[in-house]
Amino acid sequence: MIAADRQGRALLPAVDRILRSAEGCALIARYGRALVLDAVRAALAKCRDSGKAASVAAIIADSADRLSQLMRPSQRRVFNLTGTVLHTNLGRAPLPEAAIAAAAAAMRDPSTLEYDTETGRRGERDDHISGWLTRLTGAEAALAVNNNAGALVLALNALADGHETIVSRGELIEIGGSFRLPDIMARAGTRLREVGTTNRTHLADYAAAIGPQTGLILKAHTSNYAIQGFTAAVPAAKLAALAREHAIPFVEDLGSGSLVDLEAWGLPHEPTVSEALSQGADLVTFSGDKLLGGPQAGLVVGRADLVARLAKNPLKRALRLDKIRLAALEAVLRLYADPDRLAAELPALRLLSRPQQDIDAVGRRLLPAVRQALAGIAEISLVETRSQIGSGALPVSLLPSAALALRPVGAEKSGAAAETLARSLRSLPIPVIGHIEAGCVVLDLRCLEDEDAFLAQLGNLLAAAT
């Protein structure tokens, strides 16, 4: 060992001495010896590399900081003030309390996931939700998988593996993360047969494409974009009749499909699952965590014989839901049995249908405190804005809302200054997520219900922003 190394080590306390200290023992009691030992060694190595002396207390403090960062959950609560209610990156639909309680109960103890207590034999996990789905949609049968993309893959593979699937060019959608319908179809083992053009597809285009290799006709609801102008699309009822004429299945992918008519709550109309079935779809696939307001799931409803084929497909086991999400989903579906109380019980619907005057009132209550907290850092104003539903639902329909606009002091539409302020908001104990627009950080208040928790953080805001 060279002299410099010996001198550096002499300036630092021994590992054993640190671990035996009262503070070290407290850390071990909290985090366990293995993690504390790693943290202490890392703290000592940092001091050794810098050639600086350090006391036991300093090493303990450094180690405690490391351990706190390490053990902090990577998935944390945030305030979604982005203006997108069903935000994919922020977990989409918040679950109702009934679903949270059901999920917790399923986690805590063994359950009747696949067990029939009456016969004492193995049961079917989809039975927990299939009865509710058939009741609410009018379908003959139903099943659930991990998400809507999984539901579509399962349907395509079970019904059209090795055959062609006919789809309009105007419906070859791309969903989040650059996943495209043609790629999903290829993985499902079916060959894409495009018909029509990007903006216009006619019934004759579908009819001309049907042949011995046709496995099914697929209609994909363009829930995450809209084509306007000189357009033409074939109504689902006509496609269903064409499919029946040729004895091939007609599958409609509703994506964010709703179980209820949103117009009853003053929202734009979105095609419902029962509407799709009534127009002749043999199977309908849709999400559980979008407009339905439940946990992530892909749901398939429709003809009993086709649902049975999907259930027997080996992919069904690979894509199936666990007991936790099934319990949460069942609890959410039960809420739909009482439409009169649905908006009060289902957070997603409550937030989407929140009256603008209520959102304005939130803004007026928060405005003085936020101005005080950011005095000298940003100018705060209450502005009108528009929220979007998100997650591919009603892409061109915006909801009137109100927002706090935070303009950094001395910054004329400076993106850098606004990004710095946005970063400080994200660094709060409960990160505040907004969006940047015209040099301002805009906090849409539609989804802010816990005002007390938001206000409690304002004391941290000045330190985070400076």
Side-chain angles (χ1 to χ4, degrees):
M1 181 183 298
I2 62 176
D5 287 340
R6 287 197 300 269
Q7 183 179 3
R9 290 180 181 276
L11 297 174
L12 299 173
V15 171
D16 187 61
R17 179 185 169 193
I18 298 168
L19 296 179
R20 289 178 179 274
S21 68
E23 296 84 354
C25 290
L27 285 181
I28 291 172
R30 182 174 182 180
Y31 296 111
R33 182 180 177 84
L35 288 178
V36 174
L37 180 59
D38 286 346
V40 167
R41 284 174 171 167
L44 288 170
K46 185 179 73 172
C47 292
R48 193 176 300 117
D49 291 343
S50 67
K52 296 180 180 178
S55 64
V56 170
I59 297 298
I60 288 291
D62 187 299
S63 301
D65 287 341
R66 292 172 184 270
L67 290 165
S68 176
Q69 290 293 320
L70 176 66
M71 297 303 288
R72 186 175 69 176
S74 61
Q75 188 172 179
R76 295 183 289 147
R77 176 193 179 188
V78 302
F79 285 112
N80 174 17
L81 307 188
T82 62
T84 300
V85 179
L86 303 175
H87 199 299
T88 298
N89 303 121
L90 302 181
R92 290 184 177 167
L95 293 184
E97 292 300 322
I100 295 169
M107 287 188 281
R108 189 173 292 114
D109 297 302
S111 72
T112 56
L113 174 64
E114 289 186 353
Y115 188 83
D116 188 328
T117 55
E118 184 175 344
T119 64
R121 296 179 179 177
R122 179 172 180 164
E124 171 51 56
R125 65 179 62 200
D126 282 335
D127 288 347
H128 297 290
I129 50 87
S130 60
W132 281 110
L133 284 170
T134 55
R135 179 190 181 97
L136 294 168
T137 66
E140 294 178 3
L143 59 76
V145 291
N146 65 331
N147 60 26
N148 188 52
L152 186 57
V153 166
L154 178 62
L156 292 170
N157 184 259
L159 305 179
D161 184 22
H163 293 80
E164 292 179 348
T165 294
I166 302 174
V167 187
S168 167
R169 283 191 176 91
E171 298 172 4
L172 293 178
I173 58 176
E174 178 180 305
I175 60 177
S178 300
F179 289 94
R180 295 177 172 180
L181 181 57
D183 298 332
I184 291 174
M185 293 173 68
R187 293 293 182 179
T190 185
R191 297 189 299 276
L192 168 63
R193 180 69 183 271
E194 301 178 37
V195 296
T197 63
T198 303
N199 60 320
R200 294 178 68 83
T201 303
H202 305 283
L203 185 63
D205 296 320
Y206 288 93
I210 295 175
Q213 290 300 308
T214 303
L216 61 84
I217 296 175
L218 173 66
K219 183 174 182 61
H221 180 48
T222 56
S223 58
N224 62 353
Y225 67 97
I227 299 176
Q228 298 177 330
F230 186 59
T231 64
V234 182
K238 291 187 177 181
L239 287 178
L242 179 66
R244 283 195 302 272
E245 180 183 341
H246 293 272
I248 55 177
F250 170 47
V251 178
E252 184 162 6
D253 173 23
L254 281 186
S256 58
S258 177
L259 292 180
V260 292
D261 186 354
L262 297 176
E263 289 183 305
W265 289 272
L267 295 167
H269 180 74
E270 174 80 352
T272 67
V273 178
S274 58
E275 287 173 352
L277 290 170
S278 67
Q279 290 168 7
D282 295 308
L283 289 181
V284 179
T285 67
F286 57 104
S287 294
D289 54 335
K290 294 183 179 180
L291 290 176
L292 194 149
Q296 179 178 301
L299 307 174
V300 184
V301 298
R303 277 172 41 186
D305 61 324
L306 298 182
V307 172
R309 288 174 62 180
L310 269 62
K312 294 177 182 178
N313 188 290
L315 282 176
K316 173 60 169 66
R317 183 175 181 86
L319 299 171
R320 68 183 183 179
L321 289 180
D322 69 340
K323 65 175 184 175
I324 301 166
R325 276 193 281 172
L326 278 170
L329 179 59
E330 180 188 7
V332 171
L333 293 173
R334 282 200 302 266
L335 296 179
Y336 280 85
D338 187 0
D340 293 336
R341 292 192 293 181
L342 188 59
E345 300 290 338
L346 194 65
L349 184 56
R350 181 174 68 246
L351 295 173
L352 289 171
S353 60
R354 194 175 189 182
Q356 185 175 7
Q357 58 266 31
D358 290 356
I359 308 172
D360 289 335
V362 172
R364 289 193 297 271
R365 288 193 295 269
L366 294 177
L367 188 59
V370 177
R371 276 178 172 165
Q372 182 178 358
L374 281 178
I377 296 172
E379 298 172 352
I380 318 300
S381 57
L382 182 62
V383 299
E384 294 182 356
T385 189
R386 292 187 176 274
S387 310
Q388 59 181 0
I389 294 174
S391 292
L394 298 166
V396 297
S397 299
L398 301 177
L399 310 175
S401 187
L404 293 176
L406 284 55
R407 180 179 296 279
V409 171
E412 294 296 332
K413 296 186 179 181
S414 169
E419 177 53 43
T420 298
L421 180 55
R423 191 180 305 113
S424 71
L425 290 165
R426 297 196 300 268
S427 70
L428 290 173
I430 305 175
V432 175
I433 316 296
H435 72 274
I436 295 175
E437 182 179 330
C440 292
V441 178
V442 179
L443 305 180
D444 188 314
L445 302 174
R446 173 174 292 275
C447 294
L448 180 59
E449 295 186 297
D450 191 352
E451 296 176 42
D452 291 340
F454 179 83
L455 290 171
Q457 297 197 115
L458 294 182
N460 303 86
L461 202 53
L462 182 60
T466 56

Coordinates of all heavy atoms in Angstrom, one line a residue, residues 187-224:
R187 N -47.6 -10.9 -35.6 CA -47.3 -11.7 -34.4 C -48.4 -12.7 -34.1 O -48.2 -13.7 -33.5 CB -47.0 -10.8 -33.2 CG -45.7 -9.9 -33.4 CD -44.5 -10.8 -33.4 NE -43.3 -10.0 -33.5 CZ -42.1 -10.5 -33.5 NH1 -41.9 -11.8 -33.4 NH2 -41.0 -9.7 -33.6
A188 N -49.6 -12.3 -34.4 CA -50.8 -13.2 -34.1 C -50.9 -14.3 -35.1 O -51.7 -15.2 -35.0 CB -52.1 -12.4 -34.1
G189 N -50.1 -14.2 -36.2 CA -50.1 -15.3 -37.2 C -51.1 -15.1 -38.3 O -51.4 -16.0 -39.1
T190 N -51.7 -13.9 -38.4 CA -52.7 -13.7 -39.5 C -52.0 -12.7 -40.5 O -51.2 -11.9 -40.2 CB -54.0 -13.1 -39.0 OG1 -54.9 -13.0 -40.0 CG2 -53.8 -11.7 -38.3
R191 N -52.5 -12.8 -41.8 CA -52.0 -12.0 -42.8 C -52.9 -10.8 -43.0 O -54.1 -11.0 -43.2 CB -51.8 -12.8 -44.1 CG -50.8 -13.9 -44.0 CD -50.5 -14.5 -45.4 NE -51.7 -15.1 -46.0 CZ -52.2 -16.3 -45.7 NH1 -51.6 -17.1 -44.9 NH2 -53.3 -16.7 -46.3
L192 N -52.3 -9.6 -43.1 CA -53.1 -8.4 -43.3 C -53.6 -8.3 -44.7 O -52.7 -8.4 -45.6 CB -52.3 -7.2 -42.9 CG -52.8 -5.8 -43.3 CD1 -54.1 -5.6 -42.6 CD2 -51.8 -4.8 -43.0
R193 N -54.8 -8.1 -44.9 CA -55.4 -7.8 -46.3 C -56.0 -6.4 -46.2 O -57.1 -6.2 -45.7 CB -56.4 -8.8 -46.7 CG -57.1 -8.6 -48.0 CD -56.1 -8.8 -49.2 NE -56.6 -8.5 -50.5 CZ -57.3 -9.4 -51.2 NH1 -57.5 -10.6 -50.8 NH2 -57.7 -9.1 -52.4
E194 N -55.2 -5.4 -46.7 CA -55.7 -4.0 -46.6 C -56.7 -3.8 -47.7 O -56.6 -4.3 -48.9 CB -54.5 -3.1 -46.9 CG -53.4 -3.1 -45.9 CD -52.3 -2.2 -46.2 OE1 -52.6 -1.1 -46.7 OE2 -51.1 -2.6 -46.0
V195 N -57.8 -3.0 -47.4 CA -58.8 -2.6 -48.4 C -59.0 -1.1 -48.4 O -58.8 -0.5 -47.3 CB -60.1 -3.4 -48.3 CG1 -59.8 -4.9 -48.5 CG2 -60.7 -3.2 -46.9
G196 N -59.5 -0.6 -49.5 CA -59.8 0.8 -49.5 C -58.6 1.7 -49.5 O -57.5 1.3 -49.9
T197 N -58.8 3.0 -49.2 CA -57.7 4.0 -49.1 C -57.7 4.6 -47.7 O -58.5 4.3 -46.9 CB -57.9 5.1 -50.2 OG1 -59.1 5.8 -49.8 CG2 -58.0 4.5 -51.6
T198 N -56.7 5.4 -47.5 CA -56.6 6.0 -46.2 C -57.8 6.7 -45.7 O -58.3 6.7 -44.6 CB -55.4 7.0 -46.2 OG1 -54.2 6.3 -46.6 CG2 -55.2 7.6 -44.8
N199 N -58.5 7.5 -46.7 CA -59.6 8.3 -46.3 C -61.0 7.7 -46.7 O -62.0 8.1 -46.2 CB -59.5 9.7 -46.8 CG -59.4 9.7 -48.3 OD1 -58.8 8.9 -48.9 ND2 -60.1 10.7 -49.0
R200 N -61.0 6.7 -47.6 CA -62.3 6.2 -48.1 C -62.2 4.7 -48.3 O -61.4 4.2 -49.1 CB -62.7 6.9 -49.4 CG -63.0 8.4 -49.2 CD -63.4 9.1 -50.5 NE -64.7 8.7 -51.0 CZ -65.9 9.1 -50.6 NH1 -65.9 10.1 -49.6 NH2 -67.0 8.7 -51.1
T201 N -63.1 4.0 -47.7 CA -63.3 2.6 -47.9 C -64.8 2.3 -48.0 O -65.6 2.8 -47.2 CB -62.7 1.8 -46.7 OG1 -61.3 2.2 -46.5 CG2 -62.7 0.3 -47.0
H202 N -65.1 1.4 -49.0 CA -66.5 1.1 -49.3 C -66.8 -0.4 -49.0 O -65.8 -1.2 -49.0 CB -66.8 1.5 -50.7 CG -66.5 2.9 -51.1 ND1 -67.3 3.9 -50.7 CD2 -65.4 3.4 -51.7 CE1 -66.7 5.1 -51.1 NE2 -65.6 4.8 -51.7
L203 N -68.0 -0.7 -48.9 CA -68.4 -2.1 -48.7 C -67.9 -3.0 -49.8 O -67.5 -4.1 -49.6 CB -69.9 -2.2 -48.6 CG -70.5 -3.6 -48.2 CD1 -70.0 -4.0 -46.9 CD2 -72.0 -3.6 -48.3
A204 N -67.9 -2.5 -51.0 CA -67.4 -3.3 -52.2 C -66.0 -3.7 -52.0 O -65.5 -4.7 -52.5 CB -67.7 -2.5 -53.5
D205 N -65.2 -2.8 -51.4 CA -63.8 -3.1 -51.1 C -63.6 -4.4 -50.3 O -62.8 -5.3 -50.5 CB -63.1 -2.0 -50.5 CG -63.0 -0.7 -51.4 OD1 -62.8 -0.9 -52.6 OD2 -63.2 0.4 -50.8
Y206 N -64.4 -4.4 -49.2 CA -64.4 -5.6 -48.3 C -64.9 -6.9 -49.1 O -64.3 -7.9 -49.0 CB -65.3 -5.4 -47.1 CG -64.8 -4.4 -46.1 CD1 -65.1 -3.1 -46.2 CD2 -63.9 -4.8 -45.1 CE1 -64.7 -2.2 -45.2 CE2 -63.5 -4.0 -44.1 CZ -63.8 -2.6 -44.2 OH -63.4 -1.7 -43.3
A207 N -66.0 -6.7 -49.8 CA -66.6 -7.9 -50.5 C -65.6 -8.4 -51.6 O -65.5 -9.7 -51.7 CB -67.9 -7.4 -51.2
A208 N -64.9 -7.6 -52.3 CA -63.9 -8.0 -53.3 C -62.7 -8.8 -52.7 O -62.1 -9.6 -53.3 CB -63.4 -6.8 -54.1
A209 N -62.4 -8.5 -51.4 CA -61.3 -9.1 -50.8 C -61.5 -10.4 -50.2 O -60.6 -11.2 -49.8 CB -60.7 -8.1 -49.7
I210 N -62.8 -10.8 -50.0 CA -63.2 -12.0 -49.3 C -62.9 -13.2 -50.3 O -63.2 -13.2 -51.4 CB -64.6 -12.0 -48.9 CG1 -64.9 -11.0 -47.8 CG2 -65.1 -13.4 -48.4 CD1 -66.3 -10.8 -47.4
G211 N -62.2 -14.2 -49.8 CA -61.9 -15.4 -50.5 C -61.6 -16.6 -49.6 O -61.9 -16.5 -48.4
P212 N -61.1 -17.7 -50.2 CA -60.9 -18.9 -49.4 C -59.9 -18.7 -48.2 O -60.0 -19.4 -47.2 CB -60.3 -19.9 -50.4 CG -60.7 -19.3 -51.7 CD -60.8 -17.9 -51.6
Q213 N -59.0 -17.7 -48.3 CA -58.1 -17.5 -47.2 C -58.5 -16.5 -46.2 O -57.8 -16.2 -45.2 CB -56.7 -17.0 -47.9 CG -56.0 -18.0 -48.7 CD -55.6 -19.2 -47.8 OE1 -55.1 -19.1 -46.7 NE2 -56.0 -20.4 -48.3
T214 N -59.7 -16.0 -46.3 CA -60.2 -15.0 -45.3 C -60.5 -15.6 -44.0 O -61.3 -16.6 -43.9 CB -61.5 -14.3 -45.9 OG1 -61.2 -13.7 -47.1 CG2 -61.9 -13.2 -44.9
G215 N -59.9 -15.1 -42.9 CA -60.2 -15.6 -41.6 C -61.3 -14.8 -40.9 O -62.1 -15.4 -40.2
L216 N -61.2 -13.5 -41.0 CA -62.2 -12.6 -40.4 C -62.1 -11.2 -40.9 O -61.1 -10.9 -41.6 CB -62.0 -12.6 -38.8 CG -60.7 -12.1 -38.2 CD1 -60.7 -10.6 -38.1 CD2 -60.5 -12.7 -36.8
I217 N -63.1 -10.4 -40.6 CA -63.1 -9.0 -40.9 C -62.9 -8.3 -39.6 O -63.6 -8.6 -38.6 CB -64.4 -8.6 -41.6 CG1 -64.6 -9.3 -43.0 CG2 -64.5 -7.1 -41.8 CD1 -65.9 -9.0 -43.6
L218 N -62.0 -7.3 -39.6 CA -61.7 -6.6 -38.4 C -62.1 -5.1 -38.6 O -61.6 -4.5 -39.6 CB -60.3 -6.7 -38.0 CG -59.8 -5.8 -36.9 CD1 -60.4 -6.2 -35.5 CD2 -58.2 -5.9 -36.7
K219 N -62.8 -4.5 -37.7 CA -63.0 -3.1 -37.7 C -62.4 -2.5 -36.5 O -62.7 -2.9 -35.4 CB -64.5 -2.7 -37.7 CG -64.8 -1.2 -37.8 CD -66.3 -0.9 -38.0 CE -66.5 0.6 -38.1 NZ -65.9 1.1 -39.3
A220 N -61.4 -1.6 -36.7 CA -60.7 -1.0 -35.6 C -61.2 0.4 -35.4 O -61.1 1.3 -36.3 CB -59.2 -1.0 -35.9
H221 N -61.7 0.7 -34.2 CA -62.2 2.0 -33.9 C -61.1 3.0 -33.8 O -60.1 2.7 -33.0 CB -63.0 1.9 -32.6 CG -63.5 3.3 -32.1 ND1 -64.2 4.1 -33.0 CD2 -63.5 3.9 -31.0 CE1 -64.6 5.2 -32.3 NE2 -64.2 5.1 -31.1
T222 N -61.1 4.0 -34.6 CA -60.0 5.0 -34.6 C -60.2 6.0 -33.4 O -60.5 7.1 -33.5 CB -60.0 5.8 -35.9 OG1 -61.3 6.4 -36.1 CG2 -59.7 4.9 -37.1
S223 N -59.9 5.4 -32.2 CA -60.2 6.2 -31.0 C -59.1 7.2 -30.6 O -59.3 8.1 -29.8 CB -60.4 5.2 -29.8 OG -59.2 4.4 -29.6
N224 N -57.9 7.0 -31.3 CA -56.8 8.0 -30.9 C -56.5 8.9 -32.0 O -55.5 9.6 -32.0 CB -55.6 7.2 -30.5 CG -55.0 6.3 -31.6 OD1 -55.6 6.2 -32.6 ND2 -53.9 5.7 -31.3

